[in-house]
Amino acid sequence: MEREGEVFTSEEMERQRMDYIYMVSKGCLIISLNAELDHHLAEEMRHVIDGIIDKRGVYRIIIDFSKIDFMDSAGIGLIMGRYKKIRDYGDISIVGANESIQRILLISGLHKIVHIYENLNQAMNHQKGGHNEK
Amino acid sequence: MEREGEVFTSEEMERQRMDYIYMVSKGCLIISLNAELDHHLAEEMRHVIDGIIDKRGVYRIIIDFSKIDFMDSAGIGLIMGRYKKIRDYGDISIVGANESIQRILLISGLHKIVHIYENLNQAMNHQKGGHNEK
Amino acid sequence: MKNNIYDNYCEITFDSKSENEGFARVVAASFCTGLDPTLEEISDIKTAVSEAVTNAIVHGYNNGPGEISMKCMILDGIFTVIVHDDGVGIDNIHRAMEPLFTTKPEMERSGMGFSFMEAFMDELKVESAKNKGTTITMKKRIGAQV
Amino acid sequence: MKNNIYDNYCEITFDSKSENEGFARVVAASFCTGLDPTLEEISDIKTAVSEAVTNAIVHGYNNGPGEISMKCMILDGIFTVIVHDDGVGIDNIHRAMEPLFTTKPEMERSGMGFSFMEAFMDELKVESAKNKGTTITMKKRIGAQV
Ligand SMILES: Nc1ncnc2c1ncn2[C@@H]1O[C@H](COP(=O)(O)OP(=O)(O)O)[C@@H](O)[C@H]1O
Ligand SMILES: Nc1ncnc2c1ncn2[C@@H]1O[C@H](COP(=O)(O)OP(=O)(O)O)[C@@H](O)[C@H]1O
């Protein structure tokens, strides 16, 4: 049985705790980044994330950038890849992006396909709102 | 006339603001470090400090390490040099040293000749106490 | 190489491993601190260096073993960084530099690397030929707003 | 040099300038992050590297121009750093390594550099001869407490 807000603590996850943490709750995957999002981290994350999406029926992804201040084009690739995977039935939100990460989102055009919120609370509330409207 | 707690704002000081700030008040020189105390910074500081000691009749020096987490043997040299200069009539206090800086003070034996306080307040109070006792 | 020209100079070689991408960013950013860069300038440099070094690892050496060199220099407030690999090289530089062009879509490369290098630095030069390795030279004035 | 031996390897050369002392510390500390060092281990490495690089600048090149090289490598959890200068060299290594011995008291050198390198690293090797430059090799196991 799935507990709400369950945090994965398998060995694999413990090992990666330094770089990112994730949490799945009611079809929503929240990823909190602790390390700069570059090609090195993106490679590490994408298979893990795709596994979760498939196994747990995730249709909303929220990526929390509030603890990091760097992302390069590999981060764009990571987000685009997940977007292509779930766009037909879900969406992606980005929260806590600082100025330079926002600039990257803007230049890449990613701001047009993901939702951008100031913080996790706003993103969660908005998603609840979305649910109710349906 | 000297105002209490006067902060130097000459051009020279402005330029160095990033690395350290100092303040002279009633014969007490408080130096607040903002950059790692190595040979590079020590060289920059020592002539400035000695100039102040001579011109302003400083007999107590308090060095605040609370904003930095690194010092090497050049920092020991800097403190020793000032100690030799004022030991006959004054003293040196170190405040806010983290664990690794405390270790450096210990290994070098410097803890035996300088006063060590947790924070600036403690050092100031203690000095007032010392004054009253005299 | 002895430096008689630049205000400051460093040259570093490191293994072509993705864990060194962050290392290269730190080296370049930290080398610039003497110029008193703004947070934005540091971020620009980190992004550009990250793109160039990642390309050397992913494309130049195809994620296999290899050696990457990075030279950093400062002259009159201008920061120059040269990233070099001895990898497969670029066939058609003009096409490679087009926005969104990538030869590795299956690796989720976005094709934005060169666009970012151009956007965040003042100058970008790409020298490469098939099997001749690749050299990326980028320049940026630091503290230009003063 | 191609690295076929180490888990990770880097080699850096930089100008003999006191502003590069902090840079060298950052390079060494940042190179180690892959080993997941504790804050204390990072601090130890920064101190030891700072002492060796400062000595190259102050003693090796007498605060004049010159080039310093630093090699960092990681093998089986052991970090090795080699700092080299082509400066004046050390006449009497044994005496130089004595605690509190310094040839530059007028520059407020404390003579504690080698003592710190020994205290904070697991191994220290000094190779030098008059006018032959100096090579300092230091090793430290990272994550030993696990
Ligand atoms: N160092 C390199 N060695 C070989 N090919 C390269 C190198 N850098 C770039 N390329 C080629 O140029 C293309 C575009 O690069 P870039 O704009 O950075 O996008 P991306 O890295 O996302 O593919 C790459 O897909 C690759 O074919
Ligand atoms: N790289 C070097 N080149 C030449 N001489 C050196 C070098 N490193 C150390 N020495 C000599 O060894 C002495 C002791 O070094 P050290 O213990 O670091 O103390 P300090 O640097 O404070 O003098 C120095 O005073 C100097 O004479």
Side-chain angles (χ1 to χ4, degrees), chain D residues 5 12 14 18 36 63 67 72 76 81 88 94 111 114 121 137 141:
Chain D
I5 312 158
I12 182 162
F14 52 89
S18 67
D36 231 337
N63 292 303
E67 197 179 78
C72 298
D76 295 335
V81 55
V88 300
H94 186 76
F114 282 127
M121 302 293 276
T137 304
R141 172 169 290 283

Side-chain angles (χ1 to χ4, degrees), chain C residues 1 3 7 15 17 67, chain D residues 1 3 7 13 15 17 67:
Chain C
M1 176 192 147
N3 165 31
D7 296 336
D15 285 354
K17 291 188 168 143
E67 196 180 77
Chain D
M1 175 191 148
N3 165 32
D7 296 336
T13 57
D15 285 352
K17 291 187 169 144
E67 197 179 78

Side-chain angles (χ1 to χ4, degrees), chain A residues 93-106:
Chain A
S93 301
I94 284 178
V95 308
N98 75 356
E99 244 178 78
S100 65
I101 293 175
Q102 295 224 21
R103 222 157 25 118
I104 299 263
L105 295 173
L106 209 74

Side-chain angles (χ1 to χ4, degrees), chain C residues 55-56 59-60 85 88-90 96 101-103 109-114 134:
Chain C
N55 278 353
H59 302 298
D85 67 71
V88 298
I90 304 175
F101 176 84
T102 179
T103 47
R109 302 300 299 162
S110 61
M112 292 180 191
F114 281 126
T134 299

